[in-house]
Amino acid sequence: MTKDITKVTPYNSEATKKSQVEDMFDNIAPKYDLLNHVLSMKIDVLWRNTLVKMMKKDDPQEVLDVATGTGDLAITIEKGTDAKVIGLDLSQQMLNVGVIKIKKLKLDGKISMQKGDAENLPFEDNRFDAVSVAFGVRNFENLTKGLAELRRVVKDNKSVYILEFSKVEGFLGPFYMFYFKNVLPAIGRLVSKDNRAYTYLPDSVNAFPFGEKMKQILLDTGFKKVEYKKLSLGIATIYKATK
């Protein structure tokens, strides 16, 4: 039986999932970018570029990137669309790394970073031309509430773009799961010194609804149209949910 995604937490402590996720990302922030690119063999760059190509068709002027982390997707969005981007994240340490990257790229006039909670967004209704989340919705304490907030702040007839891990199906599935459950956590522990962070990753992916299930959840949240695109044999999926 698949475990409820809201019950899958990084440290299995008495703290809320939200505070555990914040602690986890604060802990791994210094090594996050290195690990991300090494463990994905930089295929995550291709995934973000694919999302931005889809978003560019909307010609957005202002975009909110939720769970922005160190700002990789925010940077890709700005470069690909020339939109003004606000990056929001729960982890101040991740944001600190992102701010340094953005300044080095001289994009601090176009991208702003702020601490905030995806489930209580500090923005008015119908503000943004597009909203994005890359590998963040798995970490929401209340998935429905978080998705409803994303929908609230995007303009009518505009879209929320969600890039998230899914499960590889078919004959490659067992090989991928072996890497995901054994190799990836071992490398993650070695480099980040956080014993739990990279075990939480496969656990949370395993519990996360994907494909048609995620599409239905988005429709139930109130989006009028949802389409999705599988990437790299289904390792990840982009969901485009239109308000």
Side-chain angles (χ1 to χ4, degrees):
M1 186 176 173
T2 304
K3 198 171 181 182
D4 179 357
I5 184 63
T6 62
K7 303 290 191 294
V8 179
T9 57
Y11 300 117
N12 299 321
S13 73
E14 292 301 311
T16 63
K17 177 173 181 175
K18 197 173 293 183
S19 65
Q20 290 185 55
V21 166
E22 182 178 358
D23 287 347
M24 177 186 74
F25 282 111
D26 279 346
N27 289 342
I28 65 175
K31 302 288 186 182
Y32 180 80
D33 283 341
L34 170 67
L35 274 166
N36 214 17
H37 296 319
V38 168
L39 293 173
S40 70
M41 292 170 280
K42 285 208 167 181
I43 203 166
D44 59 313
V45 175
L46 178 66
W47 295 341
R48 280 191 290 274
N49 286 337
T50 302
L51 185 153
V52 172
K53 279 179 190 170
M54 292 169 66
M55 184 187 287
K56 191 174 182 180
K57 294 173 185 174
D58 293 349
D59 191 28
Q61 303 304 302
E62 187 177 36
V63 178
L64 173 65
D65 183 40
V66 174
T68 194
T70 62
D72 277 350
L73 181 55
I75 291 164
T76 308
I77 290 169
E78 194 285 325
K79 287 183 173 179
T81 67
D82 202 34
K84 180 184 175 186
V85 185
I86 297 175
L88 179 135
D89 201 274
L90 204 55
S91 165
Q92 187 61 54
Q93 296 305 318
M94 294 283 277
L95 289 167
N96 293 345
V97 174
V99 166
I100 292 167
K101 271 174 22 182
I102 288 162
K103 282 183 178 174
K104 279 183 181 174
L105 292 167
K106 296 184 169 53
L107 293 175
D108 40 325
K110 294 296 295 284
I111 303 172
S112 60
M113 302 284 265
Q114 70 181 75
K115 186 171 170 27
D117 179 1
E119 293 166 46
N120 296 283
L121 292 172
F123 306 107
E124 65 272 23
D125 297 357
N126 306 304
R127 169 163 171 182
F128 296 97
D129 301 303
V131 175
S132 60
V133 191
F135 310 113
V137 291
R138 276 179 302 108
N139 301 322
F140 289 178
E141 190 167 82
N142 184 323
L143 178 60
T144 306
K145 187 179 179 187
L147 295 176
E149 277 290 272
L150 304 181
R151 181 183 176 277
R152 179 181 68 78
V153 300
V154 77
K155 292 176 181 175
D156 287 338
N157 300 310
K158 297 297 185 180
S159 300
V160 171
Y161 293 85
I162 296 169
L163 170 59
E164 191 50 87
F165 286 115
S166 43
K167 290 181 194 171
V168 177
E169 296 174 301
F171 76 96
L172 284 175
F175 299 101
Y176 173 68
M177 282 312 297
F178 178 83
Y179 170 77
F180 217 46
K181 289 187 78 70
N182 297 283
V183 180
L184 185 149
I187 298 171
R189 281 193 295 272
L190 192 67
V191 177
S192 74
K193 309 301 183 193
D194 189 309
N195 287 331
R196 179 66 189 144
Y198 288 87
T199 306
Y200 165 73
L201 176 58
D203 287 351
S204 61
V205 171
N206 235 4
F208 190 75
F210 67 97
E212 287 297 311
K213 285 184 181 177
M214 183 60 176
K215 178 180 178 178
Q216 191 57 53
I217 289 169
L218 288 161
L219 290 169
D220 291 345
T221 305
F223 290 98
K224 65 183 181 184
K225 182 184 177 186
V226 179
E227 52 195 291
Y228 63 91
K229 178 184 179 70
K230 291 183 178 181
L231 305 169
S232 306
L233 302 172
I235 295 174
T237 303
I238 297 173
Y239 303 87
K240 179 184 179 183
T242 304
K243 183 173 173 180

